[in-house]
């Protein structure tokens, strides 16, 4: 007969909150965090209803506090020893931040650039923290990115109700008429156009790939189109068209289908030249000189190119945050103009080596997009990356944590995750056989 003795090493029930094990957070929790993150990287402008320009305040205390809170909440919600995946494009941006930090100490006033770089690094780590809940299943990240831009679009629409007088920005010297801007969340018209373009593009791809129901997809497409039209942002319209064409080309299986996609921009161009209302929208009341100078942008670009700088300045730049140039005109008049070109802005702020690092990051992101096996993910990545590629020629943003940088990181992350998921499925399938 065996006698059973009570186990002396039996433990008492674990204290709630101290067991090792991942607590699954609800989907809305991560959706809320991503929406707040996208809200925090938007270039809130303190110059709403002020003189025309596209460079807003990116040193806002409110934005810094918001980003810090979002990061700390995500860190607290993540299991210690978590696993993540850092794709090549993100690694290169980490290298860019480290390089810019090192060179910032050579500047006369390094605190401003270092503060912006700390914010940038926090944003990168935040994306790394979201590998398991969002990025690992790329459709989730696409969905929450779409929801985040719907939230931004809603704030712009509510601005019309809240303060309709301030929501319409007069074009003044850069044309005739008015442009829609955000008031509740201060956003200049170019940012409103960008929100509309991303909303329209992702919703259209979701509709074509049957990831969205027709009714909500058409509503999102309509809202995005209205934001682009009301903000009268030609850069967003052109970049969106370019993104959709590239997405169509790389997801078509036949060369005939790819060649047929090239007819889309041709028809759009013909429509803008022949239909009176579209032609008026395109010109915005500007003359030939304003059109050819891209609303004066080429003046600041030429000033950046012609500026004689030392070798050290050419390598490390003038410091992160210096997105403007001083121009002397006529009888010694001094004017300040935004650079509004991501590549010239990178050179001006952080030097030639930083331009090379970010350019290689963009190339690696494109490689990730082209290697994504799922057509839906490949199309979404191509849309976002093509938008960034086109808009970077006419807008600034790739030098620090901005909405354009987030689009690039999202495109690279979802396509890299899609390729890894496909490889695991193939390995599981081969092991099963």
């Amino acid at each position: 007969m065996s006698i059973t003795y009570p186990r002396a090493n039996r433990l008492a029930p674990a204290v709630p909150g101290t067991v090792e094990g991942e607590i699954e957070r609800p989907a809305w929790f991560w959706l809320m965090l991503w929406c707040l993150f996208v809200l925090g990287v938007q270039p809130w402008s303190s110059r709403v209803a002020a003189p025309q320009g596209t460079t807003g305040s990116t040193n806002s205390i409110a934005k810094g506090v918001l980003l810090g809170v979002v990061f700390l909440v995500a860190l607290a919600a993540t299991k210690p020893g978590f696993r993540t995946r850092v794709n090549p494009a993100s690694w290169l941006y980490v290298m860019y931040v480290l390089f810019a930090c090192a060179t910032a100490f050579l500047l006369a006033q390094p605190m401003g650039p270092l503060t912006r770089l700390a914010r940038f690094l926090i944003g990168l780590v935040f994306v790394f923290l979201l590998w398991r809940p969002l990025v690992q299943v790329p459709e989730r990240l696409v969905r929450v990115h779409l929801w985040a831009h719907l939230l931004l679009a809603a704030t712009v629409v509510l601005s019309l109700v809240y303060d309709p007088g301030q929501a319409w920005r007069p074009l003044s010297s850069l044309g005739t008429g008015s442009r829609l801007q955000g008031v509740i969340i201060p956003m200049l018209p170019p940012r409103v156009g960008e929100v509309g373009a991303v909303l329209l593009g992702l919703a259209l791809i979701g509709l074509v790939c049957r990831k969205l129901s027709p009714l909500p997809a058409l509503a999102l497409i309509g809202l995005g189109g209205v934001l682009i039209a009301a903000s009268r942002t030609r850069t967003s319209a052109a970049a969106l068209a370019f993104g959709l064409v590239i997405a169509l080309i790389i997801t078509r299986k036949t060369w005939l289908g790819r060649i047929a996609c090239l007819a889309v921009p041709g028809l759009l161009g013909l429509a803008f030249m022949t239909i009176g209302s579209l032609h008026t929208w395109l010109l915005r009341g500007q003359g030939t000189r304003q059109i050819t100078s891209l609303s004066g942008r080429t003046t600041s670009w030429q000033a950046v190119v012609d500026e004689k700088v030392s070798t050290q300045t050419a390598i490390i730049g003038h410091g992160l945050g210096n997105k403007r140039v001083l121009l002397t005109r006529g009888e010694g008049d001094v004017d300040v103009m935004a650079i509004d070109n991501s590549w010239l802005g990178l050179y001006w702020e952080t030097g030639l080596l930083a331009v090379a690092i970010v350019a290689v990051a963009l190339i690696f992101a494109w490689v990730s997009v082209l290697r994504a096996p799922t057509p839906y993910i490949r199309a979404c990545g191509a849309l976002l990356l093509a938008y960034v590629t086109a808009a970077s020629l006419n807008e600034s943003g790739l030098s620090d944590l901005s909405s354009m940088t987030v689009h690039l990181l999202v495109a690279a992350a979802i396509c890299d995750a899609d390729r890894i998921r496909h490889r695991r499925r193939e390995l599981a399938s081969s092991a099963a056989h």
Side-chain angles (χ1 to χ4, degrees), residues 53-371:
T54 60
T55 303
S57 171
T58 51
N59 281 325
S60 167
I61 296 177
K63 285 177 60 178
V65 171
L66 175 60
L67 183 61
V69 169
V70 169
F71 172 73
L72 291 176
V73 171
L75 188 62
T78 304
K79 179 183 176 181
F82 67 96
R83 291 185 177 183
T84 187
R85 162 77 182 180
V86 183
N87 58 74
S90 298
W91 265 126
L92 282 161
Y93 256 113
V94 172
M95 288 176 55
Y96 163 75
V97 171
L98 295 177
F99 163 75
C101 283
T103 58
F105 288 102
L106 300 177
L107 300 172
Q109 297 179 340
M111 288 309 300
L114 287 174
T115 302
R116 297 169 70 94
L117 289 166
R119 176 175 171 267
F120 200 168
L121 190 59
I122 288 174
L124 289 171
V125 176
F126 174 78
V127 177
F128 301 158
L129 289 175
L130 297 183
W131 164 258
R132 184 175 179 85
L134 288 183
V135 184
Q136 192 173 18
V137 181
E139 288 82 2
R140 291 179 188 168
L141 185 53
V142 174
R143 192 181 309 119
V144 298
H145 203 52
L146 180 64
W147 273 99
H149 283 78
L150 177 60
L151 173 65
L152 292 174
T155 65
V156 176
V157 173
L158 290 175
S159 295
L160 288 169
V161 180
Y162 173 73
D163 193 346
Q166 198 174 356
W168 292 104
R169 179 189 187 87
L171 278 166
S172 60
S173 61
L174 296 180
T176 58
S178 300
R179 305 173 68 184
L180 180 63
Q181 63 182 3
V183 178
I184 296 177
I185 302 296
M187 287 188 289
L188 291 169
R191 298 283 76 76
V192 174
E194 178 185 325
V195 170
V198 173
L199 195 64
L200 190 157
L202 291 180
L204 182 58
I205 292 174
L207 176 63
V208 172
C209 296
R210 298 181 180 179
K211 299 295 182 179
L212 289 175
S213 301
L215 189 58
L218 291 174
L220 294 176
I221 292 170
L223 177 58
V226 168
L227 291 183
I228 295 174
S231 65
R232 305 182 76 175
T233 309
R234 295 173 296 205
T235 300
S236 295
L240 172 63
F242 178 67
L244 289 174
V245 169
I246 296 298
L248 284 171
I249 290 175
I250 68 173
T251 52
R252 297 299 92 189
K253 295 182 179 180
T254 64
W255 280 105
L256 181 62
R258 294 173 182 175
I259 294 173
C261 293
L262 297 177
V264 175
L267 292 174
L268 285 174
L270 183 63
F272 273 102
M273 296 305 296
T274 56
I275 300 176
S277 57
L278 293 178
H279 187 67
T280 302
W281 181 89
L282 182 67
L283 294 180
R284 291 197 321 217
Q286 293 181 336
T288 305
R289 183 177 179 180
Q290 290 175 315
I291 293 292
T292 55
S293 66
L294 300 177
S295 300
R297 285 180 171 88
T298 56
T299 304
S300 61
W301 297 352
Q302 191 64 45
V304 171
V305 173
D306 293 341
E307 181 79 17
K308 296 186 183 300
V309 297
S310 64
T311 303
Q312 176 179 314
T313 304
I315 295 175
I316 69 173
H318 294 78
L320 205 62
N322 290 290
K323 297 179 184 291
R324 295 172 171 272
V325 291
L326 294 175
L327 302 178
T328 305
R329 299 179 176 181
E331 299 296 327
D333 296 332
V334 176
D335 193 9
V336 181
M337 291 193 68
I339 297 175
D340 282 340
N341 180 293
S342 286
W343 303 105
L344 290 176
L346 264 169
Y347 161 70
W348 188 257
E349 291 183 272
T350 48
L352 290 172
L353 189 54
V355 173
I357 294 174
V358 175
V360 175
L362 181 64
I363 293 171
F364 273 113
W366 270 113
V367 172
S368 295
V369 168
L370 295 175
R371 295 178 66 189

Side-chain angles (χ1 to χ4, degrees), residues 139 211 251 371-379 418 421-422 425:
E139 288 82 2
K211 299 295 182 179
T251 52
R371 295 178 66 189
T374 307
Y376 171 64
I377 298 301
R378 188 163 66 248
D418 185 43
R421 178 179 61 179
H422 184 72
R425 287 176 179 174

